[in-house]
Amino acid sequence: MIIVTGGAGFIGSNLVAGLEEAVGGDIVVVDRLGTDDKWRNIAKRDLAAIVPPEDFFDFLERHRGDVETIFHLGAISATTERDADLIVRENITLPLRLWHWCAENRTRLIYASSAATYGDGSAGFDDDDSPEGLATLQPMNAYGWSKHAFDRRAIRLAAAGVHPPQWVGLKFFNVYGPNEYHKGSMKSVVAQITPKIVAGESAKLFTSHHPDYPDGGQLRDFVYVDDCVRVMLWLLESRNVNGVYNLGTGSARSFADLARAVFAALGQEERIEFVEMPEAIRDRYQYFTQARMDRLREAGYPDQFTTLEEGVRRYVKGFLTSDDPYR
C-alpha cells in the first residue's frame, strides 16, 4: 500500500496518476475534498481508499504492516497564510508525528519541503542539508519557516538514528501543470493568464520594485509537474537515497518568458501589460529562485527536465484549452 497525503491536491493528484500507471496496487489518498471541484483531480483514479485527514492516524494503526511508503504532500501551503498556530499544527507537529510512526513501523517517507525555505535567496539555493547549512537560511513567511523547521528537525532526528528506512524531503520550486485549478490566487501564472489570453485580453504581470530586475524580469525556477512526478517515482525505486533535495530545473526564467511561452503555445502575438505589485507582498517577494540540482544528480537522478517552452506548450495545448483539463 502506498499513501499520498494531499493526494487530491495539485502535485499529489499528479503523483497518484503516475503511481497508478507505473506501480499499481493499493493507492490511498488522504485529503479533504471540500465543496468545489477538487474531487475532479482524482475522479479518474482507481483508489483503495480516500481518508479524511482527521482519520489518518487511526487508518495507519488499522493498517500497520500494510503501508510500504507514504508520500506526505499535504500541508498548509499558502504563502499568505497568517495563522501561525494552524501552520505549526499542520506543517510541523503532524509531520513529526508521522516521521516517528514511519520510523517505528519501518515505512518509507518522502515529504514535501519548499523553495520558500530559502527566503529572499541571499543565502543562495544550495540544498546543503547539514545542520550548519540549513542554519544559514531565513524564510520570509510562516509557511517557509514551517517547512524549514521540519527539515532541520528531520536532519537532527536522522543523525540521532531515529528515522524511517528511507526518508527524503523535496524542496519544490515553482511547479505548474494540470490539476491546480482549485488553488485560486495560488495557481501558477500559466493557469491564470491562459484563459484571459484566449478571451483576447493582455497578460498582466507585476511591475518590479527592485532596481536589478525590470518589469516582468523577476526570475523563477519553473518546473513542470510531470518532472516532479518522475523524480518521486525514481525515489520509489532508489531506496538508498536519503536527505533533503531541491526539485527544480536548475534554470531560472523570467515571468515575461513564461507569458511569451503561453502566447506561442496559443499561436498569438504577445500582449503584456504591467500592473503594480500589491504592497502586502512587496517586502516578502522573491525576485530570483534557481535550484542547484547537483546533489540530486550526484544521488543518481538521470532524467533531463522539461524546458519552460515545452512544459507550457504541453499544459496549454493538452489541458488548459482542452474540453477536459484534468489529468
Side-chain angles (χ1 to χ4, degrees), residues 5 37 63 88 101 120 133 142 146 150 153 156 170 174 176 180 184 187 235 286 291 301 313 316:
T5 75
D37 282 344
H63 293 275
V88 167
W101 190 92
D120 64 4
S146 69
F150 182 75
R153 187 61 182 155
R156 293 194 178 279
L170 293 171
N174 283 73
Y176 66 97
E180 60 173 324
K187 287 187 297 189
L235 287 168
Q286 289 177 305
Y301 185 68
R313 187 193 67 78
V316 171

Side-chain angles (χ1 to χ4, degrees), residues 24-39:
D26 288 342
I27 301 171
V28 172
V29 162
V30 179
D31 213 334
R32 292 187 179 90
L33 300 182
T35 58
D36 58 14
D37 282 344
K38 186 178 175 182
W39 64 272

Side-chain angles (χ1 to χ4, degrees), residues 33-306:
L33 300 182
T35 58
D36 58 14
D37 282 344
K38 186 178 175 182
W39 64 272
R40 293 186 182 277
N41 286 350
I42 54 172
K44 299 173 185 177
R45 308 281 75 83
D46 182 12
L47 300 171
I50 302 171
V51 180
E54 57 270 21
D55 296 339
F56 180 29
F57 283 96
D58 287 340
F59 181 88
L60 287 177
E61 290 303 310
R62 292 197 303 272
H63 293 275
R64 277 181 181 266
D66 297 331
V67 184
E68 196 270 337
T69 303
I70 297 175
F71 289 90
H72 181 51
L73 307 182
I76 302 298
S77 59
T79 57
T80 54
E81 176 59 59
R82 303 302 294 269
D83 187 341
D85 293 317
L86 174 65
I87 288 173
V88 167
R89 184 167 65 249
E90 297 296 325
N91 293 5
I92 301 176
T93 305
L94 186 153
L96 278 173
R97 183 181 175 189
L98 182 58
W99 176 283
H100 285 286
W101 190 92
C102 289
E104 179 183 343
N105 291 279
R106 310 308 298 160
T107 299
R108 301 160 71 191
L109 177 64
I110 298 168
Y111 72 89
S113 182
S114 172
T117 59
Y118 291 113
D120 64 4
S122 59
F125 297 92
D126 186 349
D127 52 355
D128 174 5
D129 62 359
S130 68
E132 297 76 19
L134 291 172
T136 66
L137 305 184
Q138 297 183 12
M140 293 191 296
N141 52 54
Y143 165 70
W145 163 74
S146 69
K147 290 296 187 179
H148 182 51
F150 182 75
D151 287 342
R152 297 182 76 177
R153 187 61 182 155
I155 289 295
R156 293 194 178 279
L157 286 168
V162 180
H163 58 83
Q166 180 189 17
W167 68 273
V168 179
L170 293 171
K171 294 195 177 195
F172 292 101
F173 276 66
N174 283 73
V175 187
Y176 66 97
N179 291 14
E180 60 173 324
Y181 320 117
H182 63 285
K183 295 179 63 178
S185 64
M186 300 303 293
K187 287 187 297 189
S188 72
V189 172
V190 182
Q192 293 189 45
I193 68 174
T194 295
K196 294 178 180 178
I197 293 172
V198 169
E201 300 178 31
S202 299
K204 292 182 172 60
L205 303 177
F206 284 147
T207 56
S208 172
H209 290 266
H210 192 297
D212 294 339
Y213 298 89
D215 294 344
Q218 303 95 324
L219 297 167
R220 290 284 189 279
D221 192 331
F222 299 106
V223 56
Y224 193 47
V225 70
D226 287 6
D227 292 330
C228 298
V229 171
R230 276 194 291 271
V231 169
M232 289 185 281
L233 293 177
W234 174 78
L235 287 168
L236 200 61
E237 299 175 351
S238 307
R239 293 173 176 266
N240 294 325
V241 177
N242 296 275
V244 180
Y245 296 89
N246 284 337
L247 211 177
T249 66
S251 178
R253 300 291 300 275
S254 72
F255 282 100
D257 288 337
L258 183 146
R260 293 185 190 107
V262 174
F263 281 109
L266 292 170
Q268 296 191 25
E269 294 293 325
E270 66 180 72
R271 304 181 304 278
I272 300 175
E273 293 181 27
F274 297 101
V275 298
E276 281 295 310
M277 184 184 297
E279 285 192 33
I281 67 172
R282 286 181 195 175
D283 62 344
R284 298 189 301 275
Y285 187 81
Q286 289 177 305
Y287 277 84
F288 173 82
T289 68
Q290 181 172 277
R292 286 198 61 177
M293 299 301 296
D294 311 60
R295 289 185 60 248
L296 191 67
R297 292 296 188 195
E298 290 166 2
Y301 185 68
D303 293 343
Q304 296 302 307
F305 289 90
T306 308

